Short mmCIF file of all heavy atoms in Angstrom, two decimals:
data_model
loop_
_atom_site.label_atom_id
_atom_site.label_comp_id
_atom_site.label_asym_id
_atom_site.label_seq_id
_atom_site.Cartn_x
_atom_site.Cartn_y
_atom_site.Cartn_z
N GLN O 178 0.82 -1.24 -0.02
CA GLN O 178 0.07 -0.04 0.04
C GLN O 178 0.85 1.26 0.04
O GLN O 178 0.57 2.24 -0.65
CB GLN O 178 -0.93 0.01 1.25
CG GLN O 178 -1.99 -1.02 1.15
CD GLN O 178 -2.99 -0.85 -0.08
OE1 GLN O 178 -3.26 0.29 -0.38
NE2 GLN O 178 -3.26 -1.91 -0.69
N ALA O 179 1.96 1.18 0.75
CA ALA O 179 2.83 2.44 0.75
C ALA O 179 3.43 2.66 -0.63
O ALA O 179 3.54 3.86 -1.16
CB ALA O 179 3.94 2.19 1.75
N VAL O 180 3.81 1.56 -1.39
CA VAL O 180 4.39 1.80 -2.74
C VAL O 180 3.35 2.31 -3.68
O VAL O 180 3.64 3.17 -4.38
CB VAL O 180 4.90 0.33 -3.25
CG1 VAL O 180 5.28 0.53 -4.72
CG2 VAL O 180 6.14 0.01 -2.49
N LEU O 181 2.10 1.80 -3.46
CA LEU O 181 0.95 2.29 -4.33
C LEU O 181 0.77 3.87 -4.12
O LEU O 181 0.47 4.58 -5.12
CB LEU O 181 -0.30 1.56 -4.07
CG LEU O 181 -0.31 0.04 -4.54
CD1 LEU O 181 -1.67 -0.54 -4.16
CD2 LEU O 181 -0.20 -0.01 -6.14
N LYS O 182 0.95 4.36 -3.03
CA LYS O 182 0.67 5.69 -2.62
C LYS O 182 1.77 6.58 -3.24
O LYS O 182 1.59 7.75 -3.70
CB LYS O 182 0.61 5.92 -1.15
CG LYS O 182 -0.75 5.32 -0.57
CD LYS O 182 -0.66 5.54 0.99
CE LYS O 182 -1.88 5.01 1.66
NZ LYS O 182 -1.91 5.12 3.10
N ILE O 183 2.99 6.04 -3.32
CA ILE O 183 4.11 6.81 -3.73
C ILE O 183 4.40 6.79 -5.26
O ILE O 183 4.76 7.67 -5.89
CB ILE O 183 5.43 6.31 -3.00
CG1 ILE O 183 5.44 6.68 -1.55
CG2 ILE O 183 6.65 6.64 -3.66
CD1 ILE O 183 6.56 6.09 -0.77
N GLU O 184 4.01 5.67 -5.86
CA GLU O 184 4.29 5.52 -7.36
C GLU O 184 3.38 6.28 -8.26
O GLU O 184 3.58 6.14 -9.48
CB GLU O 184 4.38 3.96 -7.72
CG GLU O 184 3.03 3.38 -7.62
CD GLU O 184 2.90 2.17 -8.55
OE1 GLU O 184 3.87 1.78 -9.16
OE2 GLU O 184 1.78 1.70 -8.78
N GLY O 185 2.35 6.91 -7.73
CA GLY O 185 1.42 7.69 -8.64
C GLY O 185 2.06 8.58 -9.53
O GLY O 185 3.05 9.27 -9.15
N GLN O 186 1.59 8.71 -10.73
CA GLN O 186 2.13 9.54 -11.79
C GLN O 186 2.36 11.02 -11.37
O GLN O 186 3.38 11.64 -11.67
CB GLN O 186 1.32 9.45 -13.10
CG GLN O 186 2.00 10.19 -14.28
CD GLN O 186 2.96 9.23 -14.96
OE1 GLN O 186 3.38 8.21 -14.42
NE2 GLN O 186 3.30 9.58 -16.13
N ASN O 187 1.34 11.52 -10.64
CA ASN O 187 1.45 12.91 -10.20
C ASN O 187 1.65 13.20 -8.76
O ASN O 187 1.58 14.36 -8.35
CB ASN O 187 0.08 13.59 -10.60
CG ASN O 187 -0.25 13.55 -12.09
OD1 ASN O 187 0.61 13.42 -12.81
ND2 ASN O 187 -1.47 13.94 -12.46
N VAL O 188 2.11 12.17 -8.07
CA VAL O 188 2.52 12.33 -6.72
C VAL O 188 3.80 13.21 -6.61
O VAL O 188 4.70 12.88 -7.25
CB VAL O 188 2.80 11.04 -5.97
CG1 VAL O 188 3.26 11.14 -4.58
CG2 VAL O 188 1.48 10.27 -5.96
N SER O 189 3.84 14.21 -5.70
CA SER O 189 4.97 15.13 -5.58
C SER O 189 5.96 14.47 -4.60
O SER O 189 5.65 13.62 -3.84
CB SER O 189 4.48 16.47 -5.10
OG SER O 189 3.99 16.41 -3.80
N ALA O 190 7.05 15.00 -4.57
CA ALA O 190 8.24 14.64 -3.70
C ALA O 190 7.82 14.92 -2.27
O ALA O 190 8.17 14.06 -1.36
CB ALA O 190 9.48 15.40 -4.02
N ILE O 191 7.04 16.02 -1.95
CA ILE O 191 6.62 16.32 -0.65
C ILE O 191 5.77 15.25 -0.10
O ILE O 191 5.81 14.75 1.01
CB ILE O 191 5.93 17.63 -0.57
CG1 ILE O 191 6.60 18.62 -1.52
CG2 ILE O 191 5.89 18.10 0.80
CD1 ILE O 191 8.18 18.84 -1.27
N GLU O 192 4.78 14.83 -0.91
CA GLU O 192 3.78 13.86 -0.50
C GLU O 192 4.45 12.47 -0.22
O GLU O 192 4.14 11.70 0.65
CB GLU O 192 2.71 13.61 -1.64
CG GLU O 192 1.80 14.82 -1.74
CD GLU O 192 0.94 14.87 -2.91
OE1 GLU O 192 1.43 14.60 -4.09
OE2 GLU O 192 -0.33 15.15 -2.76
N SER O 193 5.43 12.12 -1.15
CA SER O 193 6.22 10.89 -1.05
C SER O 193 7.01 10.86 0.31
O SER O 193 7.03 9.90 0.98
CB SER O 193 7.11 10.80 -2.34
OG SER O 193 7.99 9.62 -2.11
N ALA O 194 7.68 12.06 0.51
CA ALA O 194 8.47 12.13 1.81
C ALA O 194 7.51 11.97 3.01
O ALA O 194 7.87 11.36 4.00
CB ALA O 194 9.10 13.45 1.84
N ASN O 195 6.40 12.60 3.04
CA ASN O 195 5.41 12.52 4.11
C ASN O 195 5.02 11.04 4.34
O ASN O 195 4.94 10.58 5.46
CB ASN O 195 4.19 13.34 3.99
CG ASN O 195 4.57 14.91 4.04
OD1 ASN O 195 5.58 15.11 4.75
ND2 ASN O 195 3.71 15.70 3.51
N GLU O 196 4.64 10.36 3.28
CA GLU O 196 4.18 8.99 3.35
C GLU O 196 5.37 8.12 3.90
O GLU O 196 5.10 7.23 4.71
CB GLU O 196 3.81 8.42 2.01
CG GLU O 196 3.29 7.09 1.95
CD GLU O 196 2.10 6.80 2.77
OE1 GLU O 196 1.25 7.74 2.96
OE2 GLU O 196 2.00 5.69 3.42
N ILE O 197 6.58 8.27 3.42
CA ILE O 197 7.74 7.48 3.95
C ILE O 197 7.90 7.75 5.42
O ILE O 197 8.25 6.81 6.17
CB ILE O 197 9.03 7.75 3.09
CG1 ILE O 197 8.83 7.15 1.72
CG2 ILE O 197 10.22 7.13 3.79
CD1 ILE O 197 9.90 7.49 0.77
N ASN O 198 7.77 9.03 5.87
CA ASN O 198 8.02 9.40 7.22
C ASN O 198 6.92 8.69 8.16
O ASN O 198 7.25 8.25 9.25
CB ASN O 198 8.09 10.89 7.45
CG ASN O 198 9.21 11.55 6.87
OD1 ASN O 198 10.33 10.86 6.80
ND2 ASN O 198 9.13 12.77 6.44
N ARG O 199 5.68 8.74 7.70
CA ARG O 199 4.60 8.14 8.38
C ARG O 199 4.79 6.59 8.49
O ARG O 199 4.55 5.94 9.48
CB ARG O 199 3.18 8.39 7.74
CG ARG O 199 2.71 9.75 8.00
CD ARG O 199 1.16 9.92 7.62
NE ARG O 199 1.06 9.66 6.18
CZ ARG O 199 1.06 10.71 5.32
NH1 ARG O 199 1.18 11.95 5.73
NH2 ARG O 199 0.88 10.52 3.95
N PHE O 200 5.25 5.99 7.32
CA PHE O 200 5.50 4.60 7.36
C PHE O 200 6.52 4.20 8.24
O PHE O 200 6.52 3.16 9.00
CB PHE O 200 5.76 4.23 5.86
CG PHE O 200 5.86 2.72 5.63
CD1 PHE O 200 4.83 1.84 6.04
CD2 PHE O 200 6.97 2.09 5.24
CE1 PHE O 200 4.82 0.59 5.75
CE2 PHE O 200 7.11 0.74 4.87
CZ PHE O 200 6.01 -0.06 5.28
N ARG O 201 7.70 5.00 8.29
CA ARG O 201 8.79 4.72 9.18
C ARG O 201 8.40 4.82 10.60
O ARG O 201 8.84 4.05 11.48
CB ARG O 201 9.98 5.67 8.88
CG ARG O 201 11.23 5.36 9.52
CD ARG O 201 12.29 6.40 9.04
NE ARG O 201 11.87 7.77 9.33
CZ ARG O 201 12.54 8.87 8.74
NH1 ARG O 201 13.61 8.60 7.95
NH2 ARG O 201 12.17 10.00 9.01
N TYR O 202 7.58 5.86 10.96
CA TYR O 202 7.16 6.04 12.29
C TYR O 202 6.21 4.79 12.76
O TYR O 202 6.32 4.24 13.83
CB TYR O 202 6.32 7.25 12.51
CG TYR O 202 5.78 7.51 13.81
CD1 TYR O 202 6.57 7.70 14.92
CD2 TYR O 202 4.39 7.44 14.01
CE1 TYR O 202 6.05 7.92 16.17
CE2 TYR O 202 3.83 7.77 15.25
CZ TYR O 202 4.65 7.95 16.35
OH TYR O 202 4.09 8.08 17.64
N ASN O 203 5.39 4.26 11.77
CA ASN O 203 4.56 3.09 12.05
C ASN O 203 5.43 1.92 12.30
O ASN O 203 5.13 1.17 13.24
CB ASN O 203 3.71 2.86 10.84
CG ASN O 203 2.79 1.62 10.99
OD1 ASN O 203 3.11 0.58 10.67
ND2 ASN O 203 1.62 1.89 11.53
N LEU O 204 6.57 1.70 11.65
CA LEU O 204 7.45 0.63 11.87
C LEU O 204 8.17 0.66 13.21
O LEU O 204 8.34 -0.32 13.90
CB LEU O 204 8.42 0.56 10.76
CG LEU O 204 7.98 0.10 9.37
CD1 LEU O 204 9.10 0.38 8.31
CD2 LEU O 204 7.49 -1.20 9.40
N GLU O 205 8.44 1.94 13.57
CA GLU O 205 9.07 2.12 14.90
C GLU O 205 8.03 1.73 16.04
O GLU O 205 8.43 1.09 17.02
CB GLU O 205 9.38 3.64 15.03
CG GLU O 205 10.23 3.84 16.31
CD GLU O 205 10.64 5.37 16.41
OE1 GLU O 205 10.44 6.08 15.42
OE2 GLU O 205 11.13 5.74 17.49
N LEU O 206 6.84 2.15 15.88
CA LEU O 206 5.84 1.70 16.90
C LEU O 206 5.74 0.24 17.02
O LEU O 206 5.44 -0.38 18.06
CB LEU O 206 4.40 2.37 16.60
CG LEU O 206 4.45 3.96 16.73
CD1 LEU O 206 2.98 4.45 16.32
CD2 LEU O 206 4.68 4.40 18.16
N LYS O 207 5.67 -0.41 15.83
CA LYS O 207 5.57 -1.88 15.83
C LYS O 207 6.64 -2.60 16.46
O LYS O 207 6.62 -3.58 17.14
CB LYS O 207 5.25 -2.33 14.37
CG LYS O 207 4.00 -2.00 13.80
CD LYS O 207 3.90 -2.55 12.38
CE LYS O 207 2.58 -2.27 11.74
NZ LYS O 207 2.36 -2.65 10.37
N GLU O 208 7.91 -1.93 16.25
CA GLU O 208 9.09 -2.50 16.84
C GLU O 208 8.98 -2.36 18.37
O GLU O 208 9.33 -3.36 19.08
CB GLU O 208 10.35 -1.81 16.39
CG GLU O 208 11.60 -2.24 17.03
CD GLU O 208 12.74 -1.28 16.64
OE1 GLU O 208 12.63 -0.42 15.96
OE2 GLU O 208 13.89 -1.60 17.19
N ASN O 209 8.64 -1.21 18.95
CA ASN O 209 8.58 -0.97 20.35
C ASN O 209 7.47 -1.87 20.95
O ASN O 209 7.64 -2.25 22.14
CB ASN O 209 8.22 0.54 20.56
CG ASN O 209 9.37 1.33 20.09
OD1 ASN O 209 10.67 0.85 20.07
ND2 ASN O 209 9.07 2.59 19.86
N SER O 210 6.39 -2.13 20.15
CA SER O 210 5.22 -2.94 20.75
C SER O 210 5.47 -4.40 20.42
O SER O 210 4.71 -5.21 20.94
CB SER O 210 3.97 -2.47 20.24
OG SER O 210 3.82 -1.07 20.41
N ILE O 211 6.40 -4.72 19.66
CA ILE O 211 6.58 -6.12 19.14
C ILE O 211 5.33 -6.58 18.63
O ILE O 211 4.74 -7.74 19.10
CB ILE O 211 7.24 -7.10 20.25
CG1 ILE O 211 8.32 -6.39 21.00
CG2 ILE O 211 7.65 -8.39 19.59
CD1 ILE O 211 8.99 -7.19 22.13
#
């Protein structure tokens, strides 16, 4: 789903960066919560 949001033809670099940051934060929470 993260790749689908980023690979859109008209998605901007700002939107892509925000999505990656949200995704990275989500992974951090999962790591902390195992």
